[in-house]
Amino acid sequence: MKKVLALVLCLMMVMMLFVACKSGGGETPAPSGETSTAPTSSGEGKLPTIALIYSEQTGDFWGIVANGGNKALEELKADGKISGDSYLLAPGQSGDPTQQMELIDAAMNEKVDGIVLSPSNADQVGTHVSDKMKNLNEGGIPIIVIDRSLTVPDSFDCVISSVMADTKAMGEACGKLAQEALDG
């Protein structure tokens, strides 16, 4: 349960990071007596679109993570922080890297502002992304990798963060709970 909560919180923080990065530098204070024309989050200007692309969204773990991701998207949309076009998808064939690469291509074609990615295959998906996507300064899309690794060249700068669950600590906590249950 702690792992799920941690991932949901990470997703919310990740999305807030995308929102903050997207609006960074766009607002400037207006001199006294003038009105600022910078876009605000109240609907003026374009809100960022986020694509959450998981390796799967079913099962005991990823089903819960997907529910948390969708809930976070709904809340951010309702608060006017991200576009209503933001979404969460996973391959129809759970863990299929080819289908996941097609979802990534679709996100790139839609020109989303950020991708939260749980790669189904670190090498295949990493090679695909780094071959197809430009670097950030050339219009690439910021990517945050969750709960898995992504193998990309050092020269590829679109992976701005990687968030991994501490499975060792969770395993130790589960072991302590099991021990307490057996002793009780």
Side-chain angles (χ1 to χ4, degrees):
M1 187 64 179
K2 288 181 183 180
K3 182 176 184 178
V4 173
L5 181 59
L7 278 173
V8 169
L9 291 174
C10 283
L11 282 174
M12 295 211 39
M13 290 176 55
V14 163
M15 287 185 225
M16 297 300 270
L17 173 69
F18 278 128
V19 171
C21 288
K22 182 66 181 174
S23 64
E27 297 181 21
T28 55
S32 66
E34 293 182 29
T35 307
S36 173
T37 57
T40 65
S41 62
S42 63
E44 299 172 25
K46 182 184 177 287
L47 294 174
T49 302
I50 307 299
L52 281 67
I53 303 175
Y54 294 171
S55 58
E56 59 185 286
Q57 57 180 334
T58 58
D60 292 341
F61 175 73
W62 283 106
I64 294 170
V65 173
N67 288 338
N70 279 320
K71 175 99 169 125
L73 286 173
E74 288 172 19
E75 290 174 4
L76 290 167
K77 288 175 188 178
D79 291 343
K81 304 276 186 194
I82 61 173
S83 164
D85 295 332
S86 297
Y87 59 88
L88 183 150
L89 288 175
Q93 184 71 22
S94 183
D96 184 335
T98 303
Q99 288 181 357
Q100 188 175 45
M101 289 183 283
E102 290 171 2
L103 294 173
I104 293 167
D105 289 346
M108 290 181 348
N109 289 335
E110 294 165 9
K111 298 185 182 348
V112 298
D113 299 297
I115 297 174
V116 176
L117 177 65
S118 177
S120 55
N121 182 298
D123 295 329
Q124 272 184 287
V125 175
T127 299
H128 180 79
V129 169
S130 61
D131 285 350
K132 292 264 188 159
M133 192 181 294
K134 299 174 184 175
N135 276 327
L136 290 174
N137 63 350
E138 299 168 337
I141 301 168
I143 300 172
I144 294 178
V145 179
I146 61 167
D147 209 43
R148 299 211 170 120
S149 60
L150 185 67
T151 308
V152 295
D154 290 339
S155 60
F156 183 71
D157 68 354
C158 289
V159 178
I160 61 169
S161 183
S162 181
V163 180
M164 300 294 237
D166 188 349
T167 53
K168 181 179 185 277
M170 290 184 293
E172 289 173 354
C174 288
K176 288 177 184 176
L177 290 173
Q179 182 180 16
E180 291 172 11
L182 292 173
D183 289 342

